[in-house]
Amino acid sequence: MATELAYFADTYAFTGASHVVDVIDTASVDSALAKQLQKHPHAAILKSTVFYPQGGGQPTDCGEIRSASGTLSVAHVFMHDGLVYHQGQLAGALTAGDAVELRVDEDVRRRNARCHSAGHVIFSLVKHYWGDSMRERKGHHFSDGAYVEFDGLLPSTETVDSVQRLVDQVVADDRRVLVTGDQVRVVQVEGFVENPCGGTHVRSTGELGKITIRKIARKSGQNTTKISYQV
């Protein structure tokens, strides 16, 4: 049974309750998961989770999972075949069936959500003003080296300063960031195009603070544009 993703409903759910489905001693794993699990000594699978698993260009959450008999310090989270694996160092014991309390590192969650939503602001502006010639290729929403990359070349008349002014206006407008959909989850900066996304996001652009456009790199040979930014 797939892990229930409680963070889908609320980015600001920093705590939660769940039950342990399985606990894995990663040194004994002999499977296709071995490479993903080998960096941390223990991993837990829960019935439901508030932890965001790394993916979609967004880094993992971290925090703690506590039971009456043990604590897993969560350093990395990933998803495989619908199950979310919480990796880290276990002190004490966790066993299948245990009731557990979950606590996400709030500062890390907020930082990652701001960085991801900032990428959507840039994507939204590019699609709004130059959508006929630009298509999103990928996003990297890590605070150290964030960027959004597109197929297509941003017009040469557009500069870091001109894109910065557009971004600044969207932040100043404090537009809502809307998350909707059941079968297909989509995110929309109010007034702009929707974009499928499974990540965590702020409630409105006013929460983003300063988004700095660091660089615009055009590669004519590959027909791509990469916009680097910082939050």
Side-chain angles (χ1 to χ4, degrees), residues 142-166:
F142 287 61
S143 57
D144 54 340
Y147 66 82
V148 184
E149 190 171 21
F150 300 87
D151 287 321
L153 297 176
L154 193 70
S156 59
T157 53
E158 301 304 329
T159 66
V160 166
D161 288 342
S162 66
V163 175
Q164 184 70 64
R165 285 192 292 272
L166 293 174

PDB file of all heavy atoms in Angstrom, residues 142-166:
ATOM      1  N   PHE A 142      17.060  23.846  -5.459  1.00  0.00           N
ATOM      2  CA  PHE A 142      17.937  23.746  -4.297  1.00  0.00           C
ATOM      3  C   PHE A 142      18.507  25.136  -4.025  1.00  0.00           C
ATOM      4  O   PHE A 142      18.888  25.850  -4.961  1.00  0.00           O
ATOM      5  CB  PHE A 142      19.081  22.771  -4.569  1.00  0.00           C
ATOM      6  CG  PHE A 142      18.663  21.319  -4.588  1.00  0.00           C
ATOM      7  CD1 PHE A 142      17.736  20.841  -5.509  1.00  0.00           C
ATOM      8  CD2 PHE A 142      19.220  20.427  -3.688  1.00  0.00           C
ATOM      9  CE1 PHE A 142      17.364  19.507  -5.524  1.00  0.00           C
ATOM     10  CE2 PHE A 142      18.857  19.083  -3.702  1.00  0.00           C
ATOM     11  CZ  PHE A 142      17.926  18.622  -4.619  1.00  0.00           C
ATOM     12  N   SER A 143      18.598  25.514  -2.755  1.00  0.00           N
ATOM     13  CA  SER A 143      18.999  26.881  -2.426  1.00  0.00           C
ATOM     14  C   SER A 143      20.408  27.213  -2.904  1.00  0.00           C
ATOM     15  O   SER A 143      20.713  28.369  -3.194  1.00  0.00           O
ATOM     16  CB  SER A 143      18.889  27.118  -0.918  1.00  0.00           C
ATOM     17  OG  SER A 143      19.675  26.191  -0.203  1.00  0.00           O
ATOM     18  N   ASP A 144      21.279  26.198  -3.002  1.00  0.00           N
ATOM     19  CA  ASP A 144      22.627  26.457  -3.512  1.00  0.00           C
ATOM     20  C   ASP A 144      22.694  26.092  -4.995  1.00  0.00           C
ATOM     21  O   ASP A 144      23.046  24.986  -5.355  1.00  0.00           O
ATOM     22  CB  ASP A 144      23.673  25.655  -2.724  1.00  0.00           C
ATOM     23  CG  ASP A 144      23.366  24.163  -2.692  1.00  0.00           C
ATOM     24  OD1 ASP A 144      22.192  23.785  -2.931  1.00  0.00           O
ATOM     25  OD2 ASP A 144      24.289  23.363  -2.449  1.00  0.00           O
ATOM     26  N   GLY A 145      22.299  27.031  -5.820  1.00  0.00           N
ATOM     27  CA  GLY A 145      22.366  26.813  -7.260  1.00  0.00           C
ATOM     28  C   GLY A 145      21.027  26.597  -7.935  1.00  0.00           C
ATOM     29  O   GLY A 145      20.907  25.797  -8.871  1.00  0.00           O
ATOM     30  N   ALA A 146      19.996  27.307  -7.497  1.00  0.00           N
ATOM     31  CA  ALA A 146      18.659  27.145  -8.062  1.00  0.00           C
ATOM     32  C   ALA A 146      18.585  27.703  -9.487  1.00  0.00           C
ATOM     33  O   ALA A 146      19.188  28.734  -9.799  1.00  0.00           O
ATOM     34  CB  ALA A 146      17.629  27.852  -7.184  1.00  0.00           C
ATOM     35  N   TYR A 147      17.828  27.010 -10.338  1.00  0.00           N
ATOM     36  CA  TYR A 147      17.619  27.500 -11.700  1.00  0.00           C
ATOM     37  C   TYR A 147      16.374  26.867 -12.308  1.00  0.00           C
ATOM     38  O   TYR A 147      15.875  25.844 -11.829  1.00  0.00           O
ATOM     39  CB  TYR A 147      18.840  27.206 -12.588  1.00  0.00           C
ATOM     40  CG  TYR A 147      19.115  25.739 -12.859  1.00  0.00           C
ATOM     41  CD1 TYR A 147      18.437  25.032 -13.857  1.00  0.00           C
ATOM     42  CD2 TYR A 147      20.075  25.052 -12.111  1.00  0.00           C
ATOM     43  CE1 TYR A 147      18.699  23.697 -14.090  1.00  0.00           C
ATOM     44  CE2 TYR A 147      20.338  23.719 -12.340  1.00  0.00           C
ATOM     45  CZ  TYR A 147      19.643  23.037 -13.343  1.00  0.00           C
ATOM     46  OH  TYR A 147      19.888  21.701 -13.571  1.00  0.00           O
ATOM     47  N   VAL A 148      15.876  27.497 -13.365  1.00  0.00           N
ATOM     48  CA  VAL A 148      14.835  26.934 -14.214  1.00  0.00           C
ATOM     49  C   VAL A 148      15.372  26.973 -15.638  1.00  0.00           C
ATOM     50  O   VAL A 148      15.905  27.999 -16.082  1.00  0.00           O
ATOM     51  CB  VAL A 148      13.515  27.725 -14.118  1.00  0.00           C
ATOM     52  CG1 VAL A 148      12.434  27.047 -14.944  1.00  0.00           C
ATOM     53  CG2 VAL A 148      13.067  27.855 -12.668  1.00  0.00           C
ATOM     54  N   GLU A 149      15.245  25.858 -16.341  1.00  0.00           N
ATOM     55  CA  GLU A 149      15.782  25.756 -17.700  1.00  0.00           C
ATOM     56  C   GLU A 149      14.647  25.517 -18.693  1.00  0.00           C
ATOM     57  O   GLU A 149      13.700  24.778 -18.390  1.00  0.00           O
ATOM     58  CB  GLU A 149      16.803  24.617 -17.779  1.00  0.00           C
ATOM     59  CG  GLU A 149      17.576  24.590 -19.080  1.00  0.00           C
ATOM     60  CD  GLU A 149      18.734  23.601 -19.053  1.00  0.00           C
ATOM     61  OE1 GLU A 149      18.710  22.674 -18.210  1.00  0.00           O
ATOM     62  OE2 GLU A 149      19.657  23.754 -19.856  1.00  0.00           O
ATOM     63  N   PHE A 150      14.777  26.136 -19.871  1.00  0.00           N
ATOM     64  CA  PHE A 150      13.725  26.078 -20.876  1.00  0.00           C
ATOM     65  C   PHE A 150      14.287  25.646 -22.222  1.00  0.00           C
ATOM     66  O   PHE A 150      15.449  25.955 -22.550  1.00  0.00           O
ATOM     67  CB  PHE A 150      13.074  27.463 -21.054  1.00  0.00           C
ATOM     68  CG  PHE A 150      12.451  28.012 -19.807  1.00  0.00           C
ATOM     69  CD1 PHE A 150      13.206  28.753 -18.901  1.00  0.00           C
ATOM     70  CD2 PHE A 150      11.111  27.800 -19.530  1.00  0.00           C
ATOM     71  CE1 PHE A 150      12.639  29.268 -17.746  1.00  0.00           C
ATOM     72  CE2 PHE A 150      10.528  28.319 -18.374  1.00  0.00           C
ATOM     73  CZ  PHE A 150      11.300  29.049 -17.481  1.00  0.00           C
ATOM     74  N   ASP A 151      13.460  24.949 -22.987  1.00  0.00           N
ATOM     75  CA  ASP A 151      13.732  24.782 -24.418  1.00  0.00           C
ATOM     76  C   ASP A 151      13.289  26.062 -25.104  1.00  0.00           C
ATOM     77  O   ASP A 151      12.163  26.531 -24.886  1.00  0.00           O
ATOM     78  CB  ASP A 151      12.956  23.592 -24.989  1.00  0.00           C
ATOM     79  CG  ASP A 151      13.527  22.256 -24.541  1.00  0.00           C
ATOM     80  OD1 ASP A 151      14.762  22.141 -24.473  1.00  0.00           O
ATOM     81  OD2 ASP A 151      12.742  21.337 -24.261  1.00  0.00           O
ATOM     82  N   GLY A 152      14.156  26.620 -25.912  1.00  0.00           N
ATOM     83  CA  GLY A 152      13.873  27.893 -26.565  1.00  0.00           C
ATOM     84  C   GLY A 152      14.786  28.979 -26.029  1.00  0.00           C
ATOM     85  O   GLY A 152      15.331  28.865 -24.919  1.00  0.00           O
ATOM     86  N   LEU A 153      14.951  30.023 -26.810  1.00  0.00           N
ATOM     87  CA  LEU A 153      15.849  31.106 -26.436  1.00  0.00           C
ATOM     88  C   LEU A 153      15.060  32.335 -26.012  1.00  0.00           C
ATOM     89  O   LEU A 153      14.190  32.815 -26.753  1.00  0.00           O
ATOM     90  CB  LEU A 153      16.760  31.467 -27.620  1.00  0.00           C
ATOM     91  CG  LEU A 153      17.712  30.362 -28.102  1.00  0.00           C
ATOM     92  CD1 LEU A 153      18.489  30.824 -29.329  1.00  0.00           C
ATOM     93  CD2 LEU A 153      18.669  29.950 -26.980  1.00  0.00           C
ATOM     94  N   LEU A 154      15.337  32.806 -24.798  1.00  0.00           N
ATOM     95  CA  LEU A 154      14.741  34.053 -24.343  1.00  0.00           C
ATOM     96  C   LEU A 154      15.229  35.173 -25.261  1.00  0.00           C
ATOM     97  O   LEU A 154      16.413  35.218 -25.618  1.00  0.00           O
ATOM     98  CB  LEU A 154      15.168  34.344 -22.904  1.00  0.00           C
ATOM     99  CG  LEU A 154      14.417  35.444 -22.157  1.00  0.00           C
ATOM    100  CD1 LEU A 154      12.990  34.992 -21.855  1.00  0.00           C
ATOM    101  CD2 LEU A 154      15.140  35.781 -20.853  1.00  0.00           C
ATOM    102  N   PRO A 155      14.339  36.073 -25.707  1.00  0.00           N
ATOM    103  CA  PRO A 155      14.766  37.138 -26.615  1.00  0.00           C
ATOM    104  C   PRO A 155      15.997  37.875 -26.083  1.00  0.00           C
ATOM    105  O   PRO A 155      16.112  38.138 -24.882  1.00  0.00           O
ATOM    106  CB  PRO A 155      13.545  38.057 -26.667  1.00  0.00           C
ATOM    107  CG  PRO A 155      12.392  37.143 -26.396  1.00  0.00           C
ATOM    108  CD  PRO A 155      12.899  36.143 -25.415  1.00  0.00           C
ATOM    109  N   SER A 156      16.902  38.200 -26.962  1.00  0.00           N
ATOM    110  CA  SER A 156      18.163  38.842 -26.575  1.00  0.00           C
ATOM    111  C   SER A 156      17.946  40.219 -25.955  1.00  0.00           C
ATOM    112  O   SER A 156      18.823  40.741 -25.261  1.00  0.00           O
ATOM    113  CB  SER A 156      19.088  38.960 -27.785  1.00  0.00           C
ATOM    114  OG  SER A 156      18.468  39.721 -28.814  1.00  0.00           O
ATOM    115  N   THR A 157      16.772  40.794 -26.175  1.00  0.00           N
ATOM    116  CA  THR A 157      16.470  42.101 -25.590  1.00  0.00           C
ATOM    117  C   THR A 157      16.184  42.001 -24.091  1.00  0.00           C
ATOM    118  O   THR A 157      16.175  43.030 -23.402  1.00  0.00           O
ATOM    119  CB  THR A 157      15.250  42.717 -26.295  1.00  0.00           C
ATOM    120  OG1 THR A 157      14.171  41.774 -26.276  1.00  0.00           O
ATOM    121  CG2 THR A 157      15.584  43.077 -27.737  1.00  0.00           C
ATOM    122  N   GLU A 158      15.927  40.796 -23.625  1.00  0.00           N
ATOM    123  CA  GLU A 158      15.625  40.616 -22.199  1.00  0.00           C
ATOM    124  C   GLU A 158      16.909  40.367 -21.420  1.00  0.00           C
ATOM    125  O   GLU A 158      17.729  39.543 -21.804  1.00  0.00           O
ATOM    126  CB  GLU A 158      14.646  39.441 -22.006  1.00  0.00           C
ATOM    127  CG  GLU A 158      13.329  39.606 -22.728  1.00  0.00           C
ATOM    128  CD  GLU A 158      12.596  40.885 -22.344  1.00  0.00           C
ATOM    129  OE1 GLU A 158      12.748  41.345 -21.183  1.00  0.00           O
ATOM    130  OE2 GLU A 158      11.871  41.422 -23.195  1.00  0.00           O
ATOM    131  N   THR A 159      17.070  41.082 -20.334  1.00  0.00           N
ATOM    132  CA  THR A 159      18.282  41.032 -19.529  1.00  0.00           C
ATOM    133  C   THR A 159      17.949  40.586 -18.105  1.00  0.00           C
ATOM    134  O   THR A 159      16.775  40.454 -17.734  1.00  0.00           O
ATOM    135  CB  THR A 159      18.944  42.415 -19.477  1.00  0.00           C
ATOM    136  OG1 THR A 159      18.056  43.307 -18.764  1.00  0.00           O
ATOM    137  CG2 THR A 159      19.208  42.950 -20.878  1.00  0.00           C
ATOM    138  N   VAL A 160      18.979  40.370 -17.307  1.00  0.00           N
ATOM    139  CA  VAL A 160      18.776  40.069 -15.896  1.00  0.00           C
ATOM    140  C   VAL A 160      17.925  41.159 -15.249  1.00  0.00           C
ATOM    141  O   VAL A 160      16.995  40.881 -14.485  1.00  0.00           O
ATOM    142  CB  VAL A 160      20.139  39.928 -15.174  1.00  0.00           C
ATOM    143  CG1 VAL A 160      19.946  39.953 -13.659  1.00  0.00           C
ATOM    144  CG2 VAL A 160      20.841  38.642 -15.598  1.00  0.00           C
ATOM    145  N   ASP A 161      18.208  42.412 -15.571  1.00  0.00           N
ATOM    146  CA  ASP A 161      17.472  43.526 -14.961  1.00  0.00           C
ATOM    147  C   ASP A 161      16.003  43.530 -15.362  1.00  0.00           C
ATOM    148  O   ASP A 161      15.124  43.792 -14.531  1.00  0.00           O
ATOM    149  CB  ASP A 161      18.116  44.859 -15.345  1.00  0.00           C
ATOM    150  CG  ASP A 161      19.447  45.088 -14.639  1.00  0.00           C
ATOM    151  OD1 ASP A 161      19.702  44.407 -13.630  1.00  0.00           O
ATOM    152  OD2 ASP A 161      20.221  45.943 -15.109  1.00  0.00           O
ATOM    153  N   SER A 162      15.721  43.251 -16.634  1.00  0.00           N
ATOM    154  CA  SER A 162      14.330  43.299 -17.085  1.00  0.00           C
ATOM    155  C   SER A 162      13.513  42.151 -16.480  1.00  0.00           C
ATOM    156  O   SER A 162      12.354  42.341 -16.088  1.00  0.00           O
ATOM    157  CB  SER A 162      14.252  43.268 -18.614  1.00  0.00           C
ATOM    158  OG  SER A 162      14.712  42.039 -19.136  1.00  0.00           O
ATOM    159  N   VAL A 163      14.105  40.958 -16.395  1.00  0.00           N
ATOM    160  CA  VAL A 163      13.410  39.835 -15.758  1.00  0.00           C
ATOM    161  C   VAL A 163      13.273  40.092 -14.256  1.00  0.00           C
ATOM    162  O   VAL A 163      12.240  39.783 -13.660  1.00  0.00           O
ATOM    163  CB  VAL A 163      14.154  38.514 -16.032  1.00  0.00           C
ATOM    164  CG1 VAL A 163      13.508  37.359 -15.267  1.00  0.00           C
ATOM    165  CG2 VAL A 163      14.169  38.207 -17.526  1.00  0.00           C
ATOM    166  N   GLN A 164      14.288  40.691 -13.656  1.00  0.00           N
ATOM    167  CA  GLN A 164      14.230  41.021 -12.221  1.00  0.00           C
ATOM    168  C   GLN A 164      13.052  41.941 -11.918  1.00  0.00           C
ATOM    169  O   GLN A 164      12.348  41.751 -10.915  1.00  0.00           O
ATOM    170  CB  GLN A 164      15.537  41.687 -11.790  1.00  0.00           C
ATOM    171  CG  GLN A 164      15.620  41.991 -10.302  1.00  0.00           C
ATOM    172  CD  GLN A 164      15.755  40.737  -9.473  1.00  0.00           C
ATOM    173  OE1 GLN A 164      16.731  40.009  -9.560  1.00  0.00           O
ATOM    174  NE2 GLN A 164      14.749  40.466  -8.635  1.00  0.00           N
ATOM    175  N   ARG A 165      12.823  42.917 -12.762  1.00  0.00           N
ATOM    176  CA  ARG A 165      11.703  43.839 -12.530  1.00  0.00           C
ATOM    177  C   ARG A 165      10.365  43.104 -12.563  1.00  0.00           C
ATOM    178  O   ARG A 165       9.463  43.390 -11.757  1.00  0.00           O
ATOM    179  CB  ARG A 165      11.723  44.959 -13.570  1.00  0.00           C
ATOM    180  CG  ARG A 165      12.813  46.012 -13.330  1.00  0.00           C
ATOM    181  CD  ARG A 165      12.611  47.234 -14.193  1.00  0.00           C
ATOM    182  NE  ARG A 165      12.817  46.945 -15.608  1.00  0.00           N
ATOM    183  CZ  ARG A 165      13.996  47.016 -16.220  1.00  0.00           C
ATOM    184  NH1 ARG A 165      15.084  47.360 -15.543  1.00  0.00           N
ATOM    185  NH2 ARG A 165      14.104  46.756 -17.515  1.00  0.00           N
ATOM    186  N   LEU A 166      10.213  42.162 -13.488  1.00  0.00           N
ATOM    187  CA  LEU A 166       8.972  41.385 -13.567  1.00  0.00           C
ATOM    188  C   LEU A 166       8.782  40.532 -12.317  1.00  0.00           C
ATOM    189  O   LEU A 166       7.677  40.459 -11.757  1.00  0.00           O
ATOM    190  CB  LEU A 166       8.997  40.484 -14.810  1.00  0.00           C
ATOM    191  CG  LEU A 166       8.972  41.188 -16.162  1.00  0.00           C
ATOM    192  CD1 LEU A 166       9.163  40.169 -17.284  1.00  0.00           C
ATOM    193  CD2 LEU A 166       7.656  41.947 -16.362  1.00  0.00           C
TER     194      LEU A 166
END
